[in-house]
């Protein structure tokens, strides 16, 4: 098992160019996409031309863009709807039901009327036979021994490796658990990563071993996987004796008793117990995870975390082996939301709307998502969402936090149009159609390459800059510090003078590194040169 922890924005103090070894400079854009004024005839004409081009490659996006000019040019939207409706018919005919539901959602959110009643039919087909949705009572574990027999050892055979002139078996060992009588089981993505990584060119074979027969390797295959949430759905051609029921981890609180089952350091069928230490650790780029004190070691990855009623409440995914009691698990809520799309097969693709922000709280109660940055050219920018707006719902789901928003998005495929409701800075309620784009591997790089440095430093480091000199282009002044950001934690404040000496991307360590010279008011305006780093992704990007 290897740990997969989020690399947060970090601060490095130093004066040497050694920090930038192996880095690549990234350039600022020559211009930034501005808000479109459709009352301008030239802008409107150009947008219609862009929509017609988009219709050939990204028809749903073209239809979404056409909806913004539908009052003045309804024929453009009508053409797009006809095109996408044809794709819907084709998807249903070819039994591509997940694609069909994506197209149907999108059509309905630009005013399309489902006169043929496709919605109920497609929804039923999409949700048909989803693993974990129907567990027979006879298959549920009745005691801890049954729970152990509902788990497996996941065994990835990578052939041999040579060390110091000698050959050794190259094996990855993890854990998993059955959720369906047809042989579907859950594990971590990082356990089976080499099997689905297109860059891996070595030998690899996937097997599972049952606790009742640890000497027999049963061939398995990967059905679907999500590298971001570190989840994978596997299948074997046997019917398990026992199957776990997926619980509702929302009911878990700090102090509740839980047990982890797995194969630590190759010891099959090991159970360890403890309590939930925390329910909201931000260790992944989406959502939060549980911290627990139940012992977790190499090989536990992908095993179930069960409650006292023997229901799965989380998937064990990481432990800090050098620190006793610091272990983590992915809440089952994320797995339940993703299962239909994991069952659909292949790589799970997450969505986003190209924003940065934090959960807004009132007297400790989460009330929505405060948008603190909108990327020019992104979906939210085109939809009219601006800095200071507070997002309150997506589709039929009310959201009071970033975590709830990200969870709600997990049931949609990229290239889907959904409705988003928000409150603007004038305290007015608004509802807009939003096109969900595929979340990039490096959102922070997208921010920097799409915007000017003065604004892109908001999502990167939590500071907004303005130029402070007409002669020195590298001279800036901080005009805003986001509360709770790393800039805030490191003592940056409004009015601090800053020179941005260099900005480069470190692809190896997945950081954007900025070398700056700053005088911090909170530190007595003492001059200091430092390097600040922003990870490629963050739980505050959505």
């Amino acid at each position: 098992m290897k740990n997969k922890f989020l690399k947060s924005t970090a601060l490095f103090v130093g004066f040497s160019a050694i920090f930038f070894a192996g880095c690549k400079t990234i350039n600022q854009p020559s211009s930034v996409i501005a808000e479109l004024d459709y009352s301008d005839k030239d802008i409107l004409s150009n947008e219609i031309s862009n929509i017609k081009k988009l219709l050939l490659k990204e028809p749903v996006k073209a239809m979404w863009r056409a909806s913004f000019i539908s009052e003045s040019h309804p024929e453009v939207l009508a053409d797009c709807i006809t095109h996408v409706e044809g794709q819907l018919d084709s998807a249903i005919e070819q039994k591509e039901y997940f694609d069909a539901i994506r197209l149907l959602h999108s059509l309905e959110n630009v005013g399309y009327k489902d006169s043929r009643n496709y919605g109920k039919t497609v929804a039923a087909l999409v949700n048909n036979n989803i693993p974990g949705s129907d567990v027979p009572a006879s298959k549920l574990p009745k005691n801890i021994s049954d729970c152990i027999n509902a788990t497996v050892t996941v065994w990835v055979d990578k052939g041999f490796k040579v060390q110091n002139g000698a050959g050794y078996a190259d094996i990855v060992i993890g854990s998993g658990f059955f959720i369906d009588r047809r042989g579907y089981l859950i594990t971590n993505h990082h356990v089976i990563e080499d099997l689905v990584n297109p860059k891996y060119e070595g030998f690899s074979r996937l097997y599972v071993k049952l606790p009742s027969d640890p000497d027999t390797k049963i061939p398995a295959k990967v059905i679907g996987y999500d590298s971001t949430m570190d989840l994978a759905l596997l299948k074997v051609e046997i019917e398990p004796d026992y199957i776990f029921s997926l619980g509702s981890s929302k009911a878990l609180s700090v102090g509740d008793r839980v047990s982890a089952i797995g194969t630590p350091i190759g010891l099959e069928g090991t159970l360890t117990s403890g309590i939930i230490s925390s329910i909201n650790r931000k260790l992944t780029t989406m959502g939060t995870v549980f911290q627990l004190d139940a012992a977790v070691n190499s090989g536990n990855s992908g095993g179930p975390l069960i409650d006292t009623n023997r229901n799965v409440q989380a998937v064990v995914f990481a432990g800090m082996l050098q620190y006793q009691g610091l272990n983590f698990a992915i809440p089952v809520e994320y797995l339940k939301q993703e299962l239909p799309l994991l069952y659909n097969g292949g790589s799970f693709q997450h969505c986003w709307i190209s924003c940065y922000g934090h959960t807004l709280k009132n007297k400790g109660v989460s009330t929505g998502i405060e948008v603190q940055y909108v990327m020019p050219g992104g979906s939210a920018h085109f939809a009219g969402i601006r800095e200071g707006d507070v997002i309150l719902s997506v589709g039929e789901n009310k959201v009071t936090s970033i975590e709830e928003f990200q969870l709600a998005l997990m049931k949609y495929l990229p290239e889907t149009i959904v409705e988003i409701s928000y409150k603007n800075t004038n305290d007015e309620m608004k509802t807009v159609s939003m096109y969900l784009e595929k979340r990039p591997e490096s959102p922070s790089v997208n921010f920097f390459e799409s915007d000017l440095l003065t604004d892109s430093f908001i999502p990167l480091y939590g500071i907004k800059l303005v130029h402070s000199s007409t002669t020195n282009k590298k001279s800036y002044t901080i005009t805003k510090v986001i509360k709770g950001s790393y800039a805030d934690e490191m003592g940056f404040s409004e009015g601090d003078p800053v020179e941005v000496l260099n900005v480069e991307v470190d692809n190896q360590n997945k950081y954007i590194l900025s070398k700056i010279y700053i005088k911090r008011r909170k530190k007595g305006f003492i001059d200091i040169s430092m390097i600040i780093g922003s990870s490629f992704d963050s739980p505050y990007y959505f």
Side-chain angles (χ1 to χ4, degrees):
M1 176 184 70
K2 65 180 181 181
N3 297 341
K4 296 189 71 171
F5 295 108
L6 170 68
K7 294 181 178 178
S8 300
T9 304
L11 183 88
F12 310 94
V13 179
F15 300 87
S16 172
I18 191 172
F19 286 100
F20 291 98
C23 296
K24 176 185 176 183
T25 301
I26 48 180
N27 299 317
Q28 282 272 271
S30 57
S31 61
V32 173
I33 297 175
E35 183 177 355
L36 297 181
D37 179 6
Y38 296 122
S39 64
D40 186 301
K41 292 183 178 181
D42 290 336
I43 291 176
L44 181 60
S45 176
N46 187 58
E47 178 66 356
I48 292 172
S49 178
N50 289 334
I51 289 170
K52 291 179 179 179
K53 293 176 183 177
L54 273 174
L55 190 59
L56 301 176
K57 297 181 179 180
E58 301 175 89
V60 174
K61 191 172 187 178
M63 182 173 68
W64 173 65
R65 295 270 287 267
S67 69
F68 297 133
I69 61 171
S70 60
E71 287 190 9
S72 60
H73 288 76
E75 74 284 355
V76 178
L77 177 59
D79 287 344
C80 292
I81 288 176
T82 299
H83 187 93
V84 175
E85 189 179 20
Q87 287 195 320
L88 172 62
D89 292 338
S90 177
I92 292 175
E93 183 180 342
Q94 296 176 28
K95 299 182 179 181
E96 296 174 349
Y97 300 125
F98 285 87
D99 208 30
I101 203 72
R102 173 184 68 86
L103 295 168
L104 186 57
H105 272 312
S106 301
L107 283 162
E108 289 176 338
N109 282 301
V110 295
Y112 172 80
K113 301 300 181 183
D114 184 17
S115 58
R116 290 173 289 182
N117 202 27
Y118 273 160
K120 291 183 180 180
T121 302
V122 174
L125 291 168
V126 162
N127 293 309
N128 188 37
N129 294 324
I130 300 298
S133 59
D134 183 20
V135 180
S138 61
K139 291 287 187 178
L140 292 173
K142 297 174 180 60
N143 51 51
I144 291 299
S145 177
D146 294 347
C147 290
I148 290 174
N149 285 320
T151 64
V152 300
T153 297
V154 178
W155 183 282
V156 181
D157 183 356
K158 298 172 63 179
F160 290 89
K161 59 183 176 181
V162 178
Q163 291 181 343
N164 301 321
Y168 298 88
D170 191 2
I171 298 168
V172 176
I173 295 178
S175 302
F177 58 94
F178 286 109
I179 62 167
D180 193 277
R181 68 190 307 166
R182 293 168 294 172
Y184 288 98
L185 62 139
I186 298 298
T187 189
N188 283 147
H189 164 264
H190 76 256
V191 173
I192 53 87
E193 182 174 7
D194 290 331
L195 292 157
V196 296
N197 184 356
K199 296 181 181 180
Y200 179 73
E201 298 178 348
F203 170 87
S204 61
R205 291 290 184 271
L206 176 63
Y207 306 94
V208 302
K209 294 183 177 183
L210 304 178
S212 59
D213 186 11
D215 295 326
T216 300
K217 294 189 296 185
I218 302 170
K221 62 181 178 180
V222 179
I223 301 300
Y225 57 93
D226 177 4
S227 60
T228 300
M229 290 306 300
D230 202 11
L231 295 170
L233 178 67
L234 313 182
K235 190 177 189 302
V236 292
E237 297 304 322
I238 64 167
E239 181 175 332
D241 292 331
Y242 298 99
I243 302 165
F244 279 111
S245 174
L246 302 180
S248 178
S249 51
K250 291 180 180 180
L252 281 187
S253 301
V254 173
D256 286 350
R257 299 289 301 180
V258 289
S259 298
I261 306 175
T263 310
I265 60 172
L267 302 174
E268 295 95 346
T270 298
L271 180 140
T272 55
S273 295
I275 62 169
I276 296 292
S277 303
S278 176
I279 59 173
N280 57 359
R281 296 298 186 209
K282 287 185 177 293
L283 294 184
T284 60
T285 56
M286 298 191 74
T288 58
V289 300
F290 293 146
Q291 179 184 330
L292 50 138
D293 73 347
V296 170
N297 290 282
S298 179
N300 272 109
S301 290
L305 187 74
I306 61 174
D307 61 16
T308 54
N309 294 318
R310 300 179 297 280
N311 294 318
V312 174
Q313 298 291 8
V315 182
V316 174
F317 85 106
M320 298 183 71
L321 304 184
Q322 66 272 40
Y323 298 108
Q324 185 177 0
L326 285 178
N327 305 307
F328 304 94
I330 305 159
V332 74
E333 251 52 62
Y334 296 108
L335 172 61
K336 289 163 66 176
Q337 189 81 306
E338 290 193 3
L339 263 175
L341 291 173
L342 291 176
Y343 181 57
N344 187 41
S347 175
F348 185 98
Q349 302 295 328
H350 287 273
C351 306
W352 83 325
I353 61 172
S354 309
C355 291
Y356 160 83
H358 287 76
T359 299
L360 184 66
K361 293 189 176 183
N362 182 16
K363 297 180 180 180
V365 178
S366 300
T367 58
I369 308 167
E370 182 181 5
V371 178
Q372 294 165 316
Y373 173 81
V374 179
M375 187 182 80
S379 291
H381 178 261
F382 271 106
I385 289 180
R386 297 293 176 259
E387 178 184 338
D389 292 344
V390 179
I391 296 175
L392 301 173
S393 70
V394 52
E396 298 177 353
N397 301 101
K398 292 183 178 180
V399 294
T400 60
S401 66
I402 288 181
E403 293 78 23
E404 289 182 356
F405 182 81
Q406 291 168 336
L407 178 63
L409 289 190
M410 286 181 190
K411 68 179 181 181
Y412 298 108
L413 287 168
E415 300 182 26
T416 302
I417 301 172
V418 300
E419 276 195 348
I420 284 184
S421 296
Y422 66 98
K423 184 180 292 185
N424 66 16
T425 53
N426 294 323
D427 210 31
E428 300 169 329
M429 288 298 301
K430 300 282 187 179
T431 299
V432 294
S433 294
M434 183 71 67
Y435 178 77
L436 302 180
E437 297 181 287
K438 177 184 173 182
R439 188 182 181 99
E441 292 184 4
S442 310
S444 61
V445 177
N446 284 52
F447 288 144
F448 190 80
E449 292 181 337
S450 300
D451 208 344
L452 300 178
L453 180 148
T454 50
D455 289 321
S456 63
F457 267 37
I458 297 175
L460 266 60
Y461 310 113
I463 52 176
K464 181 176 176 58
L465 305 175
V466 295
H467 281 286
S468 58
S469 173
T470 57
T471 57
N472 184 358
K473 294 183 179 180
K474 296 182 178 181
S475 181
Y476 300 88
T477 298
I478 296 176
T479 60
K480 184 176 183 179
V481 178
I482 301 296
K483 183 180 179 181
S485 68
Y486 272 80
D488 182 33
E489 292 180 2
M490 293 303 171
F492 291 22
S493 57
E494 294 180 11
D496 288 353
V498 178
E499 279 193 57
V500 181
L501 305 177
N502 199 6
V503 182
E504 300 194 7
V505 61
D506 181 350
N507 284 308
Q508 181 176 354
N509 296 302
K510 299 187 182 301
Y511 271 93
I512 292 182
L513 302 174
S514 298
K515 187 173 183 180
I516 66 172
Y517 182 79
I518 186 171
K519 295 181 180 181
R520 290 176 290 177
R521 175 174 56 82
K522 293 180 180 178
K523 303 295 183 181
F525 285 108
I526 297 176
D527 298 353
I528 186 170
S529 176
M530 59 177 62
I531 293 173
I532 53 178
S534 174
S535 63
F536 276 8
D537 207 346
S538 164
Y540 302 107
Y541 299 161
F542 57 90

